[in-house]
């Protein structure tokens, strides 16, 4: 009998050229922003440059993770290497959180020790940065829809675009009114937005790495679907987890009703087909038991 492991292969090949272009423009922008921040005296500009450098780093990490994820399963990684992208997403999101807290610290210190800022220069360089941010966003947007790895890198870029807008606004207010305090204030707002975005995504990434159940699947609902098949008595010792961002797996003991053991193989195949159709489960492993010899003292879910 076939195993019924219906894997959905998602396109990991496309977009390498776009990723490389995004890395290049972000590295160039980082250099320009650091120089501009030093010359103008703007902390927000340097903060934006620091985050922009993390954009480039996040894109490099995401790029290599995509490369690793394409490797086929082998005797070292029997499930394949797709989780490399999940690890990359965790690294990038953790970096975002660190950057966010660092910017908060720097902004608070600047409130106590204000420094003059050249507003018009800040606006010019931040305007160029915003254009680069939008180009990078356009290069990675379509890939971010289906990959938490690319989405984490995209979030770095989106936060940077918001930062550029905030820096432009700060530069305008400093140039027009001399309000140097606006610079650290905008830095705080940038930091808050970065932390909010990273926190909203990192939970799902940790859930996958912790072998958590897919958010869209309730284990009891999945087991109930299997138990609707004629000849199935019950399921126990069930494990339902996310293999990666797109594929889930189920492992369980399936109890066949008394008198139906002759159809055990057909029942197993029907259960796998039903789980694939209803829940999109791509990897189902079932250990068959007869109701007259059922395991005793086992839990329905887990060990």
């Amino acid at each position: 009998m076939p195993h019924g492991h219906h894997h959905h292969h998602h396109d990991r090949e496309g977009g390498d050229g776009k990723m490389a272009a995004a890395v290049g423009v972000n590295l160039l922008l980082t250099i320009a922003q650091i120089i501009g921040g030093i010359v103008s005296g703007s902390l927000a500009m340097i903060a934006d440059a620091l985050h922009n450098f993390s954009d480039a780093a996040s894109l490099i990490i995401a790029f290599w993770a995509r490369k690793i994820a394409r490797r086929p399963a082998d005797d070292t990684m029997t499930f394949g290497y797709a989780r490399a992208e999940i690890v990359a997403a965790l690294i990038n999101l953790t970096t975002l959180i660190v950057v966010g807290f660092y910017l908060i610290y720097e902004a608070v210190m600047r409130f106590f020790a204000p420094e003059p800022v050249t507003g018009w220069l800040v606006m010019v360089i931040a305007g160029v940065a915003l254009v680069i941010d939008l180009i990078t966003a356009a290069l990675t947007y379509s890939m971010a829809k289906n990959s938490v790895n690319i989405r984490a890198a995209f979030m770095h870029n989106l936060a940077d675009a918001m930062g550029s807008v905030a820096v432009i606004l700060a530069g305008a207010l400093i140039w027009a009114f001399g309000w140097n305090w606006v610079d650290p204030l905008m830095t705080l707002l940038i930091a808050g937005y970065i932390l909010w975005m990273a926190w909203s995504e990192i939970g799902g990434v940790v859930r996958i790495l912790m072998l958590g159940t897919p958010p869209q699947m309730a284990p009891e609902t999945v087991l109930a679907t299997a138990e609707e098949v004629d000849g199935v008595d019950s399921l126990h010792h069930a494990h339902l987890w996310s293999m990666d961002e797109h594929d889930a797996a189920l492992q369980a003991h399936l109890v066949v009703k008394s008198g139906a053991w002759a159809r055990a193989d057909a029942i197993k195949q029907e259960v796998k087909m039903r789980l694939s159709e209803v829940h999109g489960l791509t990897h189902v492993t079932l250990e068959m038991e007869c109701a007259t010899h059922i395991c005793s003292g086992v839990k329905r879910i887990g060990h």
Side-chain angles (χ1 to χ4, degrees):
M1 295 293 289
H3 292 286
H5 299 169
H6 307 293
H7 297 279
H8 300 289
H9 297 282
H10 300 272
D11 178 25
R12 293 190 177 100
E13 299 290 338
D16 284 357
K18 292 181 179 179
M19 294 283 287
V23 170
V25 296
N26 275 276
L27 287 175
L28 289 174
L29 175 60
T30 299
I31 295 171
Q33 282 185 306
I34 290 175
I35 294 172
I38 293 173
V39 173
S40 68
S42 171
L43 174 63
M45 174 70 70
I46 295 174
D48 205 30
L50 177 64
H51 184 245
N52 202 67
F53 177 73
S54 74
D55 284 350
S58 71
L59 288 166
I60 292 171
I61 292 170
F63 178 82
W64 282 111
R66 279 162 56 86
K67 291 281 191 182
I68 295 171
R70 293 170 192 161
R71 296 178 184 175
D74 54 32
D75 58 359
T76 302
M77 297 289 177
T78 57
F79 274 115
Y81 290 81
R83 280 200 179 188
E85 294 204 78
I86 308 302
V87 174
L90 180 63
I91 292 171
N92 281 330
L93 291 170
T94 302
T95 303
L96 265 180
I97 292 173
V98 172
V99 168
F101 281 116
Y102 173 74
L103 294 183
I104 289 174
Y105 168 78
E106 288 292 340
V108 171
M109 295 303 293
R110 182 63 71 93
F111 273 120
F112 290 105
E115 296 182 14
V117 177
T118 307
W120 69 266
L121 183 57
V122 168
M123 285 190 290
V124 171
I125 298 177
V128 174
L130 180 59
V131 173
I132 299 298
D133 291 333
L134 294 177
I135 291 173
T136 307
L139 289 169
T140 57
Y141 176 72
S142 60
M143 292 182 286
K145 293 179 181 178
N146 297 313
S147 170
V148 68
N149 173 35
I150 305 301
R151 190 157 59 250
F154 176 77
M155 286 171 63
H156 270 259
N157 175 250
L158 184 61
D160 204 51
M162 296 293 294
S164 295
V165 172
V167 170
I168 292 171
L169 179 59
L173 292 174
I174 292 168
W175 176 70
F177 305 107
W179 295 347
N180 286 330
W181 55 266
V182 173
D183 186 65
L185 176 62
M186 287 300 178
T187 303
L188 283 177
L189 294 176
I190 294 170
Y193 185 67
I194 289 172
L195 290 173
W196 176 77
M197 283 204 309
W199 191 255
S200 67
E201 283 280 331
I202 201 168
V205 170
V206 172
R207 182 175 183 143
I208 294 174
L209 291 175
M210 290 293 293
L211 301 179
T213 57
Q216 73 277 13
M217 292 186 194
E220 282 294 344
T221 302
V222 172
L223 298 183
T225 299
E227 290 168 344
E228 292 172 357
V229 174
D230 182 46
V232 175
D233 180 81
S234 62
L235 283 87
H236 58 257
H237 202 125
H239 299 270
L240 176 64
W241 73 97
S242 298
M243 294 171 60
D244 55 42
E245 184 182 5
H246 303 287
D247 299 319
L250 172 69
Q251 176 182 300
H253 291 197
L254 188 152
V255 181
V256 178
K257 289 181 178 179
S258 298
W261 187 255
R263 297 190 295 113
D265 283 344
I267 291 170
K268 177 170 68 174
Q269 195 60 25
E270 176 63 24
V271 168
K272 289 185 176 184
M273 188 180 303
R274 187 77 63 85
L275 291 175
S276 176
E277 292 173 351
V278 177
H279 300 289
L281 277 166
T282 59
H283 189 109
V284 177
T285 304
L286 300 171
E287 182 174 328
M288 308 299 285
E289 296 179 10
C290 179
T292 55
H293 303 287
I294 189 172
C295 295
S296 59
V298 293
K299 295 177 64 176
R300 181 165 170 81
I301 296 175
H303 293 295

